[in-house]
Amino acid sequence: MAPLAIAIPLLAACLLLAFGTKLPRLATDLVAIAAAAGCLVNAILLWHRVSGQREVYWAGGWRPDGGHGVGIVLVVDPVGAGLAALIALLTGCALLFSWRYFETAEAHLPVLVLLFLTGMTGFVLVGDLFTMFVFF
C-alpha cells in the first residue's frame, strides 16, 4: 500500500497530461479530485495499519547488501502516514477551490498540483536522504 501513495497521483497526472486536452474541464477536475481523495483514503488506511510501529517497503525488491541500501526505501510510520493524509486533504481542498477558478489553465493546473502531491507524499514517506532530496 505504501507505493500506492506515490503511484496514484503520479498515474493520474500522467493520464491528465495525455488526455487532458481531449477531456472536458469538468472531467479533468473530477479525475484530479478523485486521485487526491484516493491518496487520502490510502494514507488513512496506512495510518491505521501501522499504528505504533513502522513498515518498511523496498521498491523493486532491492534489499540492503552488506548494510548499504541500493534502491528506494519507503518507511511508513504513524507520523509519515498522518502527514501524507494531511497533504492529500489540503491538496484536495486546493483542487476543489480551483475547480472553476482557472478557465484557461485547461489540464495544466491539476497536473501540476497532482505532481506536487506526489512529491510531498514521497518526501514524508522515504527512508533515506537522497530519495528525500529527489522527491523534494
Side-chain angles (χ1 to χ4, degrees):
M1 286 182 58
L4 281 178
I6 297 167
I8 291 172
L10 186 62
L11 291 175
C14 290
L15 182 111
L16 287 178
L17 192 60
F19 302 110
T21 57
K22 296 166 185 62
L23 293 173
R25 176 62 196 236
L26 179 64
T28 60
D29 289 335
L30 288 177
V31 167
I33 291 170
C39 287
L40 177 62
V41 169
N42 186 33
I44 290 171
L45 290 175
L46 278 173
W47 185 72
H48 282 294
R49 183 175 171 173
V50 298
S51 59
Q53 57 188 0
R54 284 191 319 185
E55 183 176 304
V56 179
Y57 176 79
W58 297 94
W62 292 81
R63 301 234 179 244
D65 182 32
H68 294 50
V70 179
I72 297 173
V73 58
L74 298 175
V75 178
V76 182
D77 57 354
V79 174
L83 285 172
L86 178 66
I87 291 165
L89 177 69
L90 292 176
T91 302
C93 290
L95 286 167
L96 279 173
F97 175 77
S98 67
W99 183 301
R100 302 297 292 172
Y101 192 67
F102 297 106
E103 287 292 327
T104 59
E106 295 177 358
H108 299 297
L109 178 71
V111 166
L112 291 174
V113 171
L114 287 174
L115 289 176
F116 179 75
L117 173 61
T118 303
M120 290 295 99
T121 302
F123 184 79
V124 298
L125 294 181
V126 296
D128 60 302
L129 287 175
F130 177 74
T131 311
M132 184 182 283
F133 175 73
V134 170
F135 275 114
F136 183 70

